[in-house]
Amino acid sequence: MLYKTNAKSLLVISAIVSWVLLLGNVLLMAESARQPGAIKMALPYINNLLIIVFILSVFIFQRIHANNLKGIDFSSYLWNLFSRAAVAAYLSIALYFGYKLATGYMQVKSPFLLHLVYQVNFGLLVYFLAKAFYIWRQLLLYHKNKFLHVAWEWFELLLCSTLILTLLNFNYTNYIFLPLFVLLGCYILFLCTNLKWVAYLSFNKKSRSLVLLGAILVSCYIFTKFFQEFSDSPELVIDYSDVGFLMLAMAFVGLYTLGAFLVSLFSLPTSSVFEQKSEDLLNFQRLSQSIQQGQSEAQVYDLLFESTIKASDASAGWLEQVRGNNTHISHLLNINNEQIERIRHLLLAYNIQHIDYINNNLDRNSGFRDLALPWRSLIILPIKSKKHVFGTLYLLRDIEQGFDRETINVLRTFTSQTILTIENLRLVAESLQNERYKEELKIATQVQESLIPKTFPTDSWFEISTHAVAAKEVGGDFYDFLQLSESRIAIIIGDVSGKGISAAFHMAQMKGIFHGLMQQDMPPSEFMKQANSALSRCLEKTSFITSSLYIIDYRMKGFMFARAGHCHTLYYNAMMDDVFYFQTDGLGLGIVRDKSYNNHVREMYYDYNPNDVMVIYTDGIVEARNPDQTEEYGEDRLKYMLTQTYHLEAEDIKCAIINDLEDFTGPENLYDDQTLLVIKFKPIQPNA
């Protein structure tokens, strides 16, 4: 730290002394040029050396100073650049107009004043470029890789080497050097494409950043215009527009600023959408973690109401809670009790109570039209399980068609997760009255049973049969599905590392992430990438999840899938009469917790045929051991069973495999969770 402080002091002194000496020498040269008969006291050849010393002193100082900038508040970087350097351009233009007024008022030309203003503007320009250059360096190298880091170091080295042209007084516009400058220009364009930091700006921060970037662009224009105007002035004895280093530095600063401005501008309309999706996903995680965080029911309802209001952009709404036979309003937004009673009375007349109800055009209903409400869309979402009614959520919007299909799916996922969370909270509260350990296991078992679907939707394209059993009271295996459209369904299977209660809770988190992300109908590989990012923030360092995601498209008669470290999929192709495993790459979720995970997941598409069979399972199937613990069931035996049973129905295939597995392991010889899904595409495929 002391070394850096001393280095900064020396660089400041070096910059000030070199600039003052340069100013003095330029003024002497100007005086000598004005009086041809005077003795030549100036040292014209020392100017180049002083220019280089001044530029290097300022740039090295800013390089050291920029290393102190930390954090990811990128808008503060821009404010730092504008408030401490970009304003130099506005000071420069003020000096220029002051010079014009002074010389115009006195109606005399003053070479001394002209050179003084020119030298001050030169100093301001170098300071601005150095500050901007190294702040852009900090942002450009955000989330850097080794290649980009080396590329930047070479850029700095090549840029500094152009100072040799200034030292030796070469003309950089000479045709010998022009190709080199063109190559450097291309190099600058490549560096200016690294704008990853812009994606991390919120909508409000992007708006502020656009103003600051615009002001910085104006600063670049002011400096460029000033030195262009005086580039061929016969009154000046020195021309800084001949310094190739400054020209290239200005090109980099200007182009990077322009690139950041354009990217921020064009990504501004979508920022709020991605922010809302991220907020929805975060709220899903908060709801699923409510038990672990020790939250109360009131906090869960607060989170539900706040999340659904934001997700739907509702204009008004209220939440009713049911306690026994009593109903009370716990949350209100932009609606009064008199309006609520009128709406309640009308819904009661229509016999609409504790059921899903959506009306996207209230004016078309005579009852609602007579109420003269300021809203045009209404959605009612009951919060109830098979045994209990917890409450009802009412949301209103002041526009027609205010609740589209995607928004409704998100809202229903929120209420489903809330129901599960509240039931779990109540089960936890009950467990504290009894033996804690046994009751926790019972709760976790109920959580797991409620998370895993008991039946799949009846389908005319394929039949499916499932088997799931936990080695202990609770386990970490899971599977689920989501109907994406009339002709597409997503099926997921996974295995959480470890067993017991913690694995069950992580399974609940994975279910929330699956339903939250797949509402956006993304490809399997993209789901794995985003799921890994979400789990990296909530999964213990010692835990990970293996998973496979399949999207079956009946209309295209095929399916795509991605594998995240899970067991290979076993498949029977009826057309080729062949049984094989899909050998695809994939790394478990939570093992690599940075952007490099994107390189570890691949996606595959496969066309299915009538009578094809797909067997999906967890490692508890193939790693099951015989009673002597000397042999595993293995992939080969599972493959052999499919070759013997592929002609049967899905349920019979599953039963045959499970019976063979139990014969191999013996009774009650279960050491790991076992999950098996058998999917068979029907011999007659309906027209999509």
Side-chain angles (χ1 to χ4, degrees):
M1 184 63 70
L2 183 61
Y3 168 77
K4 286 187 176 180
T5 303
N6 293 335
K8 286 183 178 180
S9 301
L10 289 174
L11 289 169
V12 170
I13 294 171
S14 172
I16 293 173
V17 170
S18 59
W19 184 85
V20 171
L21 291 176
L22 181 61
L23 174 63
N25 195 51
V26 167
L27 292 177
L28 286 175
M29 291 176 64
E31 184 65 22
S32 300
R34 195 169 65 88
Q35 299 177 5
I39 300 174
K40 306 289 185 181
M41 299 181 63
L43 302 172
Y45 298 104
I46 205 67
N47 279 347
N48 295 343
L49 180 60
L50 293 174
I51 290 171
I52 293 172
V53 171
F54 176 68
I55 290 174
L56 288 177
S57 299
V58 175
F59 269 73
I60 295 174
F61 175 85
Q62 290 299 335
R63 194 182 200 281
I64 297 173
H65 190 265
N67 291 330
N68 297 327
L69 297 173
K70 304 293 183 183
I72 58 173
D73 186 7
F74 302 119
S75 57
S76 66
Y77 284 69
L78 301 180
W79 174 250
N80 184 300
L81 173 56
F82 172 76
S83 62
R84 299 190 182 183
V87 292
Y90 303 96
L91 178 60
S92 169
I93 199 170
L95 287 173
Y96 174 71
F97 283 121
Y99 162 75
K100 286 291 187 181
L101 288 173
T103 54
Y105 178 76
M106 295 183 293
Q107 294 186 351
V108 294
K109 292 185 177 181
S110 174
F112 175 84
L113 189 58
L114 173 62
H115 283 88
L116 179 61
V117 171
Y118 192 73
Q119 284 299 117
V120 170
N121 282 351
F122 166 67
L124 293 174
L125 170 67
V126 173
Y127 173 71
F128 165 73
L129 289 178
K131 188 78 173 178
F133 190 86
Y134 284 108
I135 284 184
W136 288 155
R137 169 182 174 267
Q138 292 293 104
L139 297 179
L140 185 147
L141 294 180
Y142 181 70
H143 276 190
K144 65 179 180 294
N145 52 37
K146 185 176 181 181
F147 173 76
L148 184 59
H149 184 75
V150 173
W152 175 265
E153 289 182 342
W154 272 102
F155 175 62
E156 281 191 278
L157 182 62
L158 292 171
L159 191 62
C160 289
S161 67
T162 60
L163 290 173
I164 298 174
L165 302 180
T166 301
L167 180 65
L168 301 177
N169 211 25
F170 284 132
N171 180 10
Y172 73 89
T173 60
N174 191 292
Y175 70 92
I176 298 176
F177 301 108
L178 279 179
L180 298 177
F181 279 90
V182 170
L183 289 175
L184 270 175
C186 295
Y187 205 157
I188 289 172
L189 287 174
F190 159 70
L191 292 174
C192 290
T193 60
N194 292 277
L195 295 158
K196 297 177 183 178
W197 57 275
V198 176
Y200 293 87
L201 295 175
S202 64
F203 179 84
N204 292 332
K205 288 185 177 181
K206 277 185 182 175
S207 302
R208 292 195 295 268
S209 297
L210 283 172
V211 176
L212 294 173
L213 288 167
I216 296 168
L217 277 174
V218 172
S219 300
C220 294
Y221 174 78
I222 290 172
F223 278 124
T224 303
K225 189 69 176 175
F226 176 85
F227 284 96
Q228 279 184 346
E229 184 174 337
F230 286 93
S231 60
D232 297 322
S233 175
E235 300 174 357
L236 292 174
V237 297
I238 191 168
D239 183 7
Y240 294 117
S241 62
D242 290 337
V243 181
F245 178 92
L246 297 179
M247 180 192 70
L248 290 170
M250 177 60 82
F252 168 74
V253 170
L255 287 174
Y256 197 84
T257 307
L258 179 62
F261 180 87
L262 293 176
V263 171
S264 300
L265 179 64
F266 292 127
S267 63
L268 188 63
T270 59
S271 295
S272 58
V273 177
F274 287 112
E275 286 177 35
Q276 183 59 52
K277 293 300 181 185
S278 299
E279 182 69 21
D280 290 347
L281 180 58
L282 182 60
N283 288 330
F284 288 141
Q285 292 178 353
R286 288 174 180 170
L287 282 171
S288 65
Q289 292 175 335
S290 296
I291 298 175
Q292 292 170 300
Q293 295 172 353
Q295 292 183 343
S296 64
E297 284 189 33
Q299 291 172 310
V300 173
Y301 283 123
D302 289 341
L303 181 56
L304 169 67
F305 193 70
E306 177 187 350
S307 302
T308 52
I309 289 293
K310 289 182 179 179
S312 62
D313 195 23
S315 309
W318 77 93
L319 176 63
E320 294 178 357
Q321 292 185 32
V322 176
R323 286 286 186 182
N325 296 323
N326 299 320
T327 300
H328 73 280
I329 299 173
S330 61
H331 297 75
L332 278 174
L333 175 69
N334 298 332
I335 191 170
N336 57 48
N337 289 325
E338 189 269 336
Q339 291 172 319
I340 291 175
E341 286 303 318
R342 289 160 59 196
I343 295 174
R344 270 179 170 177
H345 182 75
L346 181 62
L347 294 174
L348 186 61
Y350 288 159
N351 197 25
I352 299 175
Q353 286 184 300
H354 306 306
I355 62 171
D356 273 319
Y357 177 76
I358 303 166
N359 190 328
N360 272 323
N361 196 330
L362 297 179
D363 281 348
R364 293 185 181 179
N365 183 288
S366 58
F368 283 106
R369 187 167 59 248
D370 293 341
L371 294 180
L373 298 172
W375 304 289
R376 298 292 176 267
S377 300
L378 166 68
I379 184 170
I380 302 174
L381 297 167
I383 307 171
K384 64 178 182 178
S385 64
K386 292 182 179 180
K387 296 182 179 180
H388 300 97
V389 176
F390 302 105
T392 309
L393 177 65
Y394 301 81
L395 299 175
L396 295 144
R397 294 198 66 183
D398 51 11
I399 59 173
E400 294 181 358
Q401 304 301 321
F403 300 100
D404 55 36
R405 179 178 176 180
E406 181 182 356
T407 302
I408 294 169
N409 287 336
V410 171
L411 295 177
R412 284 174 175 164
T413 304
F414 270 123
T415 55
S416 298
Q417 193 68 39
T418 300
I419 294 166
L420 177 63
T421 302
I422 293 174
E423 285 189 325
N424 291 338
L425 286 172
R426 292 186 178 184
L427 287 172
V428 169
E430 292 174 3
S431 72
L432 295 176
Q433 300 172 8
N434 303 307
E435 295 180 72
R436 190 177 188 87
Y437 177 72
K438 292 182 179 179
E439 286 301 312
E440 283 182 351
L441 292 179
K442 181 180 178 181
I443 293 163
T445 303
Q446 293 172 344
V447 170
Q448 187 174 40
E449 289 177 354
S450 65
L451 288 175
I452 296 178
K454 301 298 182 295
T455 58
F456 276 72
T458 56
D459 203 290
S460 56
W461 278 272
F462 66 87
E463 55 188 60
I464 186 167
S465 182
T466 64
H467 168 82
V469 58
K472 296 184 178 180
E473 288 81 356
V474 291
D477 285 4
F478 68 95
Y479 63 88
D480 207 347
F481 74 94
L482 183 66
Q483 193 78 42
L484 303 178
S485 66
E486 292 181 357
S487 64
R488 299 173 73 246
I489 186 172
I491 299 175
I492 190 171
I493 187 171
D495 185 0
V496 180
S497 62
K499 301 178 183 66
I501 296 173
S502 62
F505 280 132
H506 292 323
M507 185 183 74
Q509 291 176 328
M510 189 62 186
K511 178 183 175 72
I513 290 172
F514 170 67
H515 281 274
L517 290 178
M518 288 310 295
Q519 297 293 343
Q520 305 175 43
D521 197 3
M522 58 181 60
S525 59
E526 182 63 26
F527 168 83
M528 293 301 181
K529 296 172 186 177
Q530 295 202 28
N532 185 73
S533 177
L535 289 169
S536 297
R537 295 190 290 270
C538 60
L539 206 62
E540 295 92 344
K541 296 293 184 182
T542 56
S543 299
F544 64 92
I545 298 175
T546 67
S547 181
S548 290
L549 175 63
Y550 308 81
I551 297 179
I552 302 175
D553 192 329
Y554 317 141
R555 195 177 302 278
M556 301 300 295
K557 297 191 182 302
F559 59 89
M560 65 177 70
F561 68 96
R563 166 181 169 269
H566 200 70
C567 301
H568 293 294
T569 303
L570 179 60
Y571 197 83
Y572 167 71
N573 187 303
M575 181 175 291
M576 296 186 297
D577 192 26
D578 185 27
V579 178
F580 56 90
Y581 284 96
F582 285 113
Q583 300 294 330
T584 55
D585 295 330
L587 189 64
L589 304 172
I591 296 177
V592 175
R593 305 196 176 196
D594 55 38
K595 294 292 183 181
S596 65
Y597 179 82
N598 297 350
N599 301 323
H600 296 285
V601 63
R602 297 290 182 270
E603 192 173 274
M604 182 176 180
Y605 184 87
Y606 194 83
D607 294 322
Y608 68 78
N609 307 297
N611 286 320
D612 279 10
V613 180
M614 181 160 56
V615 178
I616 309 168
Y617 56 95
T618 59
D619 57 7
I621 299 291
V622 293
E623 292 179 3
R625 291 181 174 271
N626 61 6
D628 297 333
Q629 301 294 303
T630 57
E631 183 183 0
E632 289 186 349
Y633 187 79
E635 292 183 343
D636 291 339
R637 185 159 180 163
L638 181 63
K639 180 179 178 182
Y640 173 77
M641 284 302 301
L642 183 58
T643 62
Q644 301 299 310
T645 59
Y646 63 82
H647 58 281
L648 303 175
E649 300 295 327
E651 177 68 15
D652 296 330
I653 296 174
K654 180 204 72 175
C655 292
I657 293 174
I658 296 303
N659 290 336
D660 183 67
L661 179 65
E662 290 177 350
D663 291 340
F664 177 81
T665 60
E668 299 180 358
N669 190 17
L670 186 63
Y671 292 94
D672 196 4
D673 307 329
Q674 294 179 354
T675 301
L676 178 71
L677 279 72
V678 178
I679 299 171
K680 184 168 185 178
F681 297 98
K682 293 188 176 180
I684 300 177
Q685 294 284 303
N687 294 326

